[in-house]
Amino acid sequence: MHIGSFPLGTPLILAPMAGVTDRPFRTLCRRLGAGLAVSEMVTARPELQASDKTRLRLDHAGEPDPRSVQIAGADPQMLAKKVCSKAAGSALLRDEKLVRRILEAVVMAVDVPVTLKIRTGWCPETRNAVSIARLAEATGIQALAVHGRTRACGFRGEAEFETVRAVKQAVGIPVVANGDIDGPESAARVLRATGADAVMIGRAAQGRPWIFREIAHYLATGEMLAPPDSDEIETIMLGHLDDLHAFYGEARGYRVARKHIDWYLKDQLARDRDDAREWRARILSAEGTIAQRRLLSAFLHRSDNGSLAA
């Protein structure tokens, strides 16, 4: 798959997630098989662009190409001042004329491919993803990601992919399917059902960033890849932790890392341990990067009796 002139190594994209897809997580997912990793949402409002939060969200130092930034806003000219590869939001689906103005302004303002991520409509009664997709293609959008739920649905219920298939059939640009893709078999099933060019994965990558290489292997061979062993999981977890600490610094690093540690422990390591709840509480309540890392390492190297003495 290509976005404009940029090839993707795999048809697998890390979805933008607020508070999650920072540079350390994007870099990790790319290393583990994602063909593209989209940044957290960056506001187009100039009065907020000098904040530390926005500064960190715009930090792409050392990331492999291609890089993707998601921007948010509703003013065409304000959005056009942001160099980007993502534009718009599901709240705009009710105003197709405004969507057109925004997309035209951003496409005209930059010399990089602009893509669009949408839902299937504002609510189930007003699904308009096909008309938005045609409008987007006409304005010069280079690829389109479609989440198989409406804005009103949030993340409730199951994603529906009939609309994604209709979008794919309606346009000539690449289409990316998003929603409820949690492993190799569901990724393959969604690709078959929609005819999409790629899939976008969000929550399923939390605590399981190796999902991308598992899906890539399955799509290429039809076989399931063996899960990472405990040594590799330890290397991934501690490496990710170190990157978060370095990126955010002592004051914020261990706080930001807590949610990632929780996902790793809950989904990969703590399910079969009688003492898991006690370990989890102690690790997540640790204050400071050194204490957090020491406790996580102790958990990973705990003795058979699960001692908390480390």
Side-chain angles (χ1 to χ4, degrees), residues 102-116:
I102 289 172
L103 299 185
E104 288 175 341
V106 176
V107 169
M108 291 294 293
V110 300
D111 58 3
V112 296
V114 179
T115 69
L116 178 66

Side-chain angles (χ1 to χ4, degrees), residues 31-283:
R31 181 165 60 84
L32 291 174
L36 185 69
V38 185
S39 78
E40 301 172 80
M41 188 176 290
V42 177
T43 180
R45 294 172 58 185
E47 69 271 20
L48 300 178
Q49 292 172 20
S51 69
D52 286 342
K53 181 182 290 187
T54 297
R55 177 182 58 81
L56 289 172
R57 288 183 174 184
L58 288 172
D59 189 334
H60 290 260
E63 282 189 65
D65 291 332
R67 304 172 186 178
S68 181
V69 178
Q70 185 186 50
I71 61 174
D75 181 282
Q77 298 309 312
M78 190 180 295
L79 281 162
K81 293 177 183 179
K82 282 281 192 182
V83 176
C84 65
S85 60
K86 288 275 177 187
S90 59
L92 299 174
L93 290 171
R94 292 179 296 183
D95 191 339
E96 295 187 13
K97 291 182 179 179
L98 178 56
V99 171
R100 178 183 291 276
R101 295 203 305 273
I102 289 172
L103 299 185
E104 288 175 341
V106 176
V107 169
M108 291 294 293
V110 300
D111 58 3
V112 296
V114 179
T115 69
L116 178 66
K117 184 175 186 291
I118 64 172
R119 291 198 171 218
T120 56
W122 176 257
C123 64
E125 295 74 29
T126 59
R127 288 192 176 98
N128 61 338
V130 171
S131 61
I132 291 288
R134 288 177 173 144
L135 179 159
E137 183 177 34
T139 62
I141 292 297
Q142 297 292 299
L144 184 69
V146 186
H147 184 109
R149 292 182 175 88
T150 66
R151 163 87 175 196
C153 291
F155 290 98
R156 300 183 302 275
E158 294 185 359
E160 60 90 11
F161 293 103
E162 292 84 357
T163 303
V164 182
R165 181 175 182 83
V167 167
K168 176 59 185 174
Q169 293 173 341
V171 298
I173 57 177
V175 172
V176 180
N178 176 223
D180 295 353
I181 297 167
D182 59 4
E185 292 177 319
S186 62
R189 184 168 59 251
V190 169
L191 287 171
R192 288 194 301 269
T194 62
D197 303 276
V199 293
M200 179 173 277
I201 299 157
R203 291 171 293 169
Q206 296 172 352
R208 190 183 162 197
W210 48 85
I211 188 175
F212 295 100
R213 74 178 184 194
E214 292 176 343
I215 294 174
H217 182 83
Y218 186 81
L219 294 179
T221 68
E223 300 176 351
M224 300 294 288
L225 184 69
D229 61 25
S230 58
D231 288 340
E232 186 180 14
I233 290 176
E234 176 184 348
T235 298
I236 291 171
M237 289 178 65
L238 293 179
H240 189 190
L241 189 68
D242 290 340
D243 288 344
L244 288 167
H245 290 169
F247 185 69
Y248 288 102
E250 175 63 32
R252 289 187 60 198
Y254 72 95
R255 293 185 173 91
V256 174
R258 283 171 174 162
K259 56 178 170 282
H260 291 279
I261 292 172
D262 198 23
W263 290 325
Y264 282 122
L265 296 183
K266 180 172 59 179
D267 293 339
Q268 298 300 327
L269 298 176
R271 287 178 290 184
D272 60 349
R273 295 290 304 197
D274 293 337
D275 60 348
R277 182 173 297 181
E278 189 176 357
W279 272 103
R280 173 183 175 276
R282 189 173 177 184
I283 294 168

Side-chain angles (χ1 to χ4, degrees), residues 275 278-279 282 294-295 298-299 302-303 305-310:
D275 60 348
E278 189 176 357
W279 272 103
R282 189 173 177 184
R294 177 179 62 80
L295 281 168
F299 172 76
R302 64 200 182 283
S303 62
N305 63 15
S307 171
L308 277 170

